[in-house]
Amino acid sequence: MDTITATSGAGLDELVEGCGPDHPVQRALCDGAAAFANGLSRSILLRSRALWVDFSIWPNLFGETDALRRHIPWTRHASRGQTRGIEGQRVDLVSYVAENRERLVLKPTFGPGAVLGWRTDAATWTATLERALEEAWIVQERVPVTEALHPVLDGDQVRHEAVALDLAPFLWGDGRHGGFLARLSPAARFELEWGGSVTPLVVLRGRA
């Protein structure tokens, strides 16, 4: 059989959950009849939220220590054991997560499904934590979300609505930027299931 090569636009979550182990695409990958042009392992690595744990605990390993410490929120694998809390104190992680619902988020390592502690009741938070301990999840410090007025087309009228704004610049090491990712959502979560979307970003400069 000829080898079929494809780009890895889909992440591991879409591949596994969308296809399943018996899907022809999965069988082709296992048999060596299909391959990803830019590497499945690299795609998985860059899409994994587990990277945030490494950035949070060992920023000095990545060469941008000060920037990572300023901008990466406290993040840990959702697991049993001891670690340092947000303020640096030694804590039992499970108890710490259970007691600090208002300031934490639980997220699957891959894909959607983040649970915001401050928008979740205690029973749901406890159930999510139990699930997270059995699966691959992370727990992360709450980060304030910026809100901005955004024009919305409503029929043939344009109105302005307050939405959550996520603006992510793409920066080079020398300070140059190569663009932005801009996302909007009516909620504090930016997944499609919560109404999140990517929006164009227009930079306006005044004329001299």
Side-chain angles (χ1 to χ4, degrees), residues 28-48:
L29 288 170
C30 293
D31 295 342
F36 283 88
N38 59 345
L40 180 59
S41 60
R42 182 169 62 181
S43 173
I44 294 172
L45 179 65
L46 294 178
R47 292 172 60 88
S48 172

Side-chain angles (χ1 to χ4, degrees):
M1 180 183 294
D2 293 334
T3 299
I4 302 172
T5 302
T7 59
S8 56
L12 179 65
D13 48 329
E14 290 94 341
L15 182 64
V16 174
E17 296 178 8
C19 296
D22 297 322
H23 191 279
V25 172
Q26 291 279 30
R27 293 203 303 271
L29 288 170
C30 293
D31 295 342
F36 283 88
N38 59 345
L40 180 59
S41 60
R42 182 169 62 181
S43 173
I44 294 172
L45 179 65
L46 294 178
R47 292 172 60 88
S48 172
R49 295 189 179 98
L51 276 176
W52 293 82
V53 178
D54 296 334
F55 291 149
S56 175
I57 298 177
W58 301 291
N60 57 304
L61 296 180
F62 299 93
E64 297 290 344
T65 304
D66 292 339
L68 289 173
R69 285 177 174 161
R70 285 197 308 269
H71 299 292
I72 299 298
W74 176 92
T75 311
R76 296 294 187 271
H77 292 290
S79 59
R80 295 176 174 84
Q82 299 284 315
T83 190
R84 295 198 178 277
I86 296 173
E87 289 81 16
Q89 73 279 30
R90 201 72 183 170
V91 298
D92 175 79
L93 184 59
V94 175
S95 299
Y96 186 75
V97 175
E99 295 166 3
N100 288 274
R101 171 170 55 91
E102 292 290 331
R103 60 190 305 195
L104 297 173
V105 184
L106 283 165
K107 302 178 181 179
T109 300
F110 290 99
V115 177
L116 312 182
W118 62 97
R119 293 196 173 183
T120 304
D121 59 66
T124 301
W125 185 250
T126 299
T128 304
L129 176 57
E130 291 174 355
R131 177 185 175 186
L133 293 171
E134 299 300 323
E135 300 176 5
W137 285 54
I138 65 167
V139 56
Q140 197 166 61
E141 177 185 5
R142 176 183 181 178
V143 175
V145 176
T146 300
E147 286 195 351
L149 290 177
H150 189 76
V152 176
L153 185 62
D154 186 0
D156 59 353
Q157 301 292 320
V158 175
R159 57 181 174 83
H160 286 78
E161 180 179 321
V163 294
L165 170 64
D166 177 34
L167 183 61
F170 302 132
L171 301 175
W172 297 99
D174 60 3
R176 292 179 297 118
H177 68 81
F180 296 84
L181 171 66
R183 300 186 298 172
L184 300 175
S185 176
R189 294 172 52 174
F190 293 92
E191 292 99 334
L192 291 175
E193 63 184 292
W194 289 85
S197 64
V198 177
T199 186
L201 176 68
V202 180
V203 179
L204 300 178
R205 293 185 175 90
R207 295 183 178 178

